[in-house]
Amino acid sequence: MTDIPGERETLSLNYRITIPSVAILVALCIPLVIWQEESTETLNAIFAVIVNNIGSLYIWYSILMVAASLFFICTRYGSVVMGDPGRKPRFSWFEYLSIIVAMGIGSTIMRTGTVMWAPIAAAPPFGLEPQSLAAMATGNGYAMYLWSFQTFAIFSVGAPAVGYLLYVRKVKILRMSEVYRPLLGDRFTDGTGGIVIDILFMVAIIAGAATFLGLGTPIVTAIVSHITGWEATFGLTFVVTLVWIALFTASVLLGLEKGIKNLSTLNMYLAALLGVFILVAGPSGFILSFFAESLGSLFRDLPNYVLNTGTWPEEGSGSYDIARYTIFWWAYGATWSLLHSIFAAKISEGRTIRELLLAYLLAPLVLAWVATGILGGLGAGLQADGSLDVFGIVAESGQMAAIAEIVASVPFGLIAALVFTMLTMTFFATTLDSTTFTVSAYTDDNDMHKYDPAAKIRLFWSVVISVFALVLMKVGGLVPLEVTSGLLGLPIIFIQLGSVWAAKKMIDQDRAWETHTRKAAARI
């Protein structure tokens, strides 16, 4: 069995990265606090310019990431082992896939899977009749598309370079700037260029994590409000957030083996329990039929989704909104791509590049599609038989309120709502503690091949992310920060493309497909 990395308690925080990153985030928050409305309008206007002028860049970026993943999977590069080829991987397959799924989709699936179909079906593309079953299936198919190969290729394709550096070349520190050493040399990596890459990584990830926490709390707040009858105020949101913070901070302090791994495994059991319960207690026949129709719609409309930049010939009232949301999804995904690359590399010791990419491309996709089929089918079924006016609730009170109503509408609705809430919280906690773990490893100057990041550093970043999330929720800065996170995806695209080239170059230099594979180890 692979040795489990220990933890060195020496405080070794890299201040050259940490201080500028925190300073930039503070500077970002100041105008959001003082000029909230003006900042929101400005950032949305900037993003609109990007969507209208270079939105196609994000479309081709998502396609290129899939192509790069397939290149590594289908060629000799995929057989290279990240670690000692003669030793077993650090995690079993179930543990490994559980961590990837929990990190890959998080509880965002609880929102897109349950009710994403409704606003699209209310103003559908392709000339479909609004609020018809065909429009609802199309909306659910689009929700599945958001969790497609492109999303998970964006998340994972940078991991081979990082994993190769960490476990084959034994680089001590775990940073994206190190990926550029074989490409641009020591002067760039150790100088200003490397610092800029690392600071950009930190700003994007911390801002994204704070936004992620802030966007997730309304789901739980809405369900708690529905169950208890309490008004969904900021005070209730604050309490929910504190519980979340306590949960993911405890997991962070427990570390990768005891915290993140166990919480990810719990996610799988809760997800299976909820899915079976909804199928048994809900409109089973409709859910299964709607699931099939959603998949059919997805595959039928896939070319339009993949290449859509808002210029379809047909003028469906919802077509441009879908194009804009798709571009935003890839841009926002790009901000998380480097985080996933670092984290995926860290947990993949002993895995081949092919195993890493296939696991990331397939495992979260399967769960996301199944979850969207079941949860979306539940809501659409309630709408179709007249049990619940989902369209009306979304139009009047928003998607979060609709989620609470949908979950509570099944038999034993209180139990379903409680399990749904637990799953949402554990998914979010897993994503956030994985984020905190990765950011901590990124700023820890200890040898990340031998050690996990120190507990004090993990606690520090847990507090930083939590404070930013609470401040931004209070001042109403989540929307502009979400846009800002999406904007940061633009330079990260080029950083990620460099990591793909670096992985190929390093493997070619070392001829690792001959020496660092399981077949090569078996011959020794």
Side-chain angles (χ1 to χ4, degrees):
M1 184 67 181
T2 302
D3 294 334
I4 297 175
E7 179 183 306
R8 181 180 291 174
E9 289 299 334
T10 304
L11 187 60
S12 51
L13 187 65
N14 186 299
Y15 295 100
R16 293 180 66 193
I17 300 173
T18 301
I19 292 177
S21 301
V22 174
I24 290 171
L25 288 167
V26 171
L28 177 65
C29 284
I30 289 175
L32 297 178
V33 174
I34 300 175
W35 302 290
Q36 296 179 33
E37 185 176 344
E38 293 85 350
S39 298
T40 302
E41 292 177 356
T42 300
L43 289 172
N44 276 291
I46 293 172
F47 189 69
V49 170
I50 288 181
V51 169
N52 294 330
N53 291 279
I54 58 172
S56 58
L57 174 63
Y58 289 107
I59 299 295
W60 288 109
Y61 158 66
S62 69
I63 296 171
L64 187 58
M65 292 301 97
V66 174
S69 297
L70 292 176
F71 169 77
F72 283 118
I73 290 170
C74 298
T75 63
R76 59 191 179 186
Y77 299 95
S79 63
V80 175
V81 177
M82 292 172 292
D84 187 340
R87 306 186 74 173
K88 292 183 179 180
R90 180 175 181 181
F91 298 106
S92 69
W93 270 113
F94 181 75
E95 294 168 345
Y96 184 62
L97 294 178
S98 296
I99 295 172
I100 286 176
V101 167
M103 180 60 179
I105 61 177
S107 62
T108 308
I109 190 63
M110 312 305 281
R111 175 175 59 85
T112 60
T114 305
V115 78
M116 185 77 185
W117 57 269
I120 295 174
F126 313 124
L128 295 171
E129 180 185 350
Q131 301 188 10
S132 64
L133 281 173
M136 289 191 284
T138 297
N140 213 45
Y142 175 73
M144 290 179 177
Y145 172 68
L146 295 179
W147 303 100
S148 64
F149 293 113
Q150 289 151 278
T151 296
F152 302 114
I154 287 172
F155 285 171
S156 61
V157 79
V162 181
Y164 192 85
L165 282 169
L166 184 63
Y167 293 120
V168 179
R169 290 199 170 182
K170 309 293 185 183
V171 172
K172 294 182 178 181
I173 56 177
L174 192 60
R175 296 188 188 125
M176 285 305 300
S177 57
E178 286 297 316
V179 171
Y180 279 78
R181 194 178 297 278
L183 293 178
L184 300 177
D186 296 340
R187 184 175 181 180
F188 175 88
T189 302
D190 296 330
T192 304
I195 292 293
V196 169
I197 289 175
D198 291 331
I199 291 174
L200 180 63
F201 171 92
M202 292 296 296
V203 172
I205 296 309
I206 296 172
T211 303
F212 187 72
L213 180 61
L215 291 174
T217 50
I219 300 175
V220 176
T221 301
I223 296 176
V224 171
S225 175
H226 182 86
I227 293 173
T228 62
W230 299 337
E231 187 179 354
T233 62
F234 177 77
L236 181 59
T237 300
F238 182 80
V239 172
V240 169
T241 306
L242 288 181
V243 174
W244 235 325
I245 290 170
L247 183 61
F248 89 79
T249 300
S251 180
V252 165
L253 291 177
L254 286 172
L256 187 56
E257 292 289 334
K258 296 180 180 179
I260 297 173
K261 182 184 76 174
N262 290 337
L263 197 57
S264 300
T265 302
L266 175 62
N267 283 341
M268 295 303 99
Y269 290 121
L270 283 176
L273 176 64
L274 181 63
V276 171
F277 178 80
I278 290 175
L279 278 176
V280 172
S284 306
F286 181 89
I287 289 174
L288 294 175
S289 176
F290 188 74
F291 191 179
E293 290 196 22
S294 298
L295 283 173
S297 170
L298 169 63
F299 294 133
R300 182 187 68 241
D301 300 328
L302 189 60
N304 289 317
Y305 293 149
V306 171
L307 297 174
N308 176 28
T309 59
T311 56
W312 289 335
E314 51 205 336
E315 297 180 357
S317 59
S319 61
Y320 180 74
D321 290 339
I322 288 179
R324 179 184 173 90
Y325 197 88
T326 302
I327 292 169
F328 175 79
W329 188 264
W330 302 146
Y332 191 58
T335 66
W336 286 94
S337 63
L338 302 186
L339 167 70
H340 280 272
S341 297
I342 298 290
F343 186 77
K346 182 63 177 174
I347 66 172
S348 295
E349 182 179 10
R351 296 288 173 190
T352 66
I353 290 175
R354 183 176 294 114
E355 288 172 344
L356 184 160
L357 293 175
L358 283 175
Y360 237 103
L361 286 178
L362 296 177
L365 179 147
V366 170
L367 183 63
W369 284 13
V370 170
T372 302
I374 294 174
L375 294 173
L378 172 62
L382 294 171
Q383 175 68 48
D385 66 14
S387 300
L388 188 68
D389 183 11
V390 179
F391 290 116
I393 297 171
V394 170
E396 182 177 345
S397 304
Q399 294 184 30
M400 301 308 170
I403 291 173
E405 293 282 355
I406 290 170
V407 175
S409 294
V410 299
F412 306 102
L414 177 60
I415 297 175
L418 291 175
V419 174
F420 189 94
T421 301
M422 288 178 60
L423 183 59
T424 302
M425 294 191 74
T426 54
F427 261 130
F428 258 96
T430 304
T431 301
L432 287 169
D433 63 17
S434 302
T435 302
T436 306
F437 183 91
T438 305
V439 169
S440 302
Y442 205 84
T443 54
D444 193 333
D445 282 336
N446 280 324
D447 187 342
M448 287 295 103
H449 179 255
K450 297 180 180 178
Y451 302 99
D452 283 339
K456 292 178 181 178
I457 295 179
R458 299 200 301 267
L459 180 60
F460 169 76
W461 285 117
S462 175
V463 171
V464 169
I465 291 172
S466 303
V467 168
F468 271 106
L470 287 171
V471 169
L472 291 166
M473 276 187 282
K474 179 61 178 175
V475 303
L478 286 172
V479 172
L481 185 53
E482 183 182 25
V483 174
T484 302
S485 298
L487 294 176
L488 288 170
L490 190 59
I492 287 176
I493 287 177
F494 300 99
I495 295 176
Q496 193 176 23
L497 289 173
S499 71
V500 173
W501 180 250
K504 181 182 183 302
K505 184 174 182 178
M506 288 187 291
I507 295 172
D508 285 341
Q509 288 175 341
D510 300 341
R511 300 185 68 84
W513 64 83
E514 295 178 350
T515 61
H516 218 78
T517 66
R518 289 178 184 149
K519 287 184 178 180
R523 292 195 297 265
I524 298 177

